[in-house]
């Protein structure tokens, strides 16, 4: 983890759910987010929506709230920063996968001076469409891209710092 966005993502989605009349405990929202885009977390929290427009409104509100929260800063994780800088210093290409959207990640990288140190950036809004989670699809895409670049599996080191707890059951 390079930036600790989980508290901001949790607060934004939790507040958006409440504003749309879908009060879900903050702990459940927080547990649904790691390794997932907000849309996937919402689908996990409300798997059989009665109104799909309501989901769209929750996501739009959550994205606006999230943008407002991170505009005031997001904590940089020292261990993640050190790992990234060590990898770059050792001559490695750095691939960064994020649960946040590209429009939020790129400015954080630029403000931190890290944008030139990342070779490939995969964000929550980038994964190819298809079955499975955005987390899994992101890594599949990264794997395919590295294969096309001729980077053998034996030459790769993966530091996946996303804590993905099992998703709790949610009562409708």
């Amino acid at each position: 983890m390079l930036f600790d966005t989980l508290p901001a993502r949790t607060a934004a989605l939790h507040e958006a759910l409440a504003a749309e009349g879908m009060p879900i405990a903050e702990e459940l929202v927080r547990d649904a987010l790691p390794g997932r885009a907000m849309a996937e977390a919402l689908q996990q929290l409300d798997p059989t929506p009665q109104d799909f427009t309501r989901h769209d409104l929750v996501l739009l509100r959550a994205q606006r709230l999230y943008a407002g929260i991170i505009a005031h800063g997001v904590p940089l994780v020292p261990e993640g920063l050190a790992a990234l800088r060590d990898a770059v210093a050792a001559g490695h290409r750095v691939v960064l996968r994020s649960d946040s959207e590209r429009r939020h990640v790129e400015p954080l990288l630029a403000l931190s001076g890290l944008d030139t140190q990342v070779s490939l950036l995969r964000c929550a809004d980038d994964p190819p469409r298809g079955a499975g989670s955005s987390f899994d699809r992101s890594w599949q895409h990264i794997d395919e891209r590295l294969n096309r670049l001729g980077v053998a599996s034996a030459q790769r080191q993966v530091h996946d710092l996303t804590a993905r707890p099992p998703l709790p059951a949610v009562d409708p």
Side-chain angles (χ1 to χ4, degrees):
M1 178 183 332
L2 189 55
F3 300 102
D4 187 8
T5 60
L6 184 59
R9 295 173 66 227
T10 300
L13 186 54
H14 182 255
E15 187 175 329
L17 284 161
E20 291 300 324
M22 300 172 66
I24 295 178
E26 188 172 2
E27 300 80 37
L28 294 176
V29 174
R30 184 187 57 244
D31 290 347
L33 282 165
R36 295 180 179 91
M38 277 199 215
E40 287 176 302
L42 178 58
Q43 183 62 38
Q44 293 291 328
L45 293 165
D46 186 24
T48 55
Q50 295 176 0
D51 182 359
F52 288 100
T53 303
R54 190 181 208 184
H55 267 207
D56 293 341
L57 292 172
V58 167
L59 289 173
L60 288 170
R61 186 182 302 267
Q63 290 167 352
R64 188 183 77 231
L65 291 166
Y66 178 68
I69 293 168
I70 67 168
H72 297 287
V74 176
L76 190 62
V77 178
E79 299 82 16
L81 177 60
L84 183 135
R85 289 196 170 141
D86 288 348
V88 170
H92 299 287
R93 287 183 174 163
V94 175
V95 174
L96 182 65
R97 193 205 72 70
S98 176
D99 295 331
S100 296
E101 294 181 1
R102 180 173 293 275
R103 65 186 169 155
H104 297 129
V105 176
E106 286 179 335
L108 292 174
L109 289 171
L111 285 170
S112 304
L114 301 172
D115 52 333
T116 60
Q117 298 181 12
V118 175
S119 301
L120 175 61
L121 176 62
R122 294 297 299 167
C123 297
D125 50 341
D126 291 337
R129 306 245 186 255
S133 70
S134 67
F135 182 86
D136 295 333
R137 291 190 317 264
S138 289
W139 282 114
Q140 289 167 356
H141 178 82
I142 289 167
D143 186 55
E144 291 166 5
R145 177 96 181 260
L146 292 174
N147 286 337
R148 284 194 308 271
L149 291 171
V151 180
S153 295
Q155 295 176 307
R156 303 176 194 174
Q157 266 188 358
V158 176
H159 298 275
D160 182 3
L161 305 174
T162 304
R164 295 189 314 156
L167 199 64
V170 177
D171 292 327

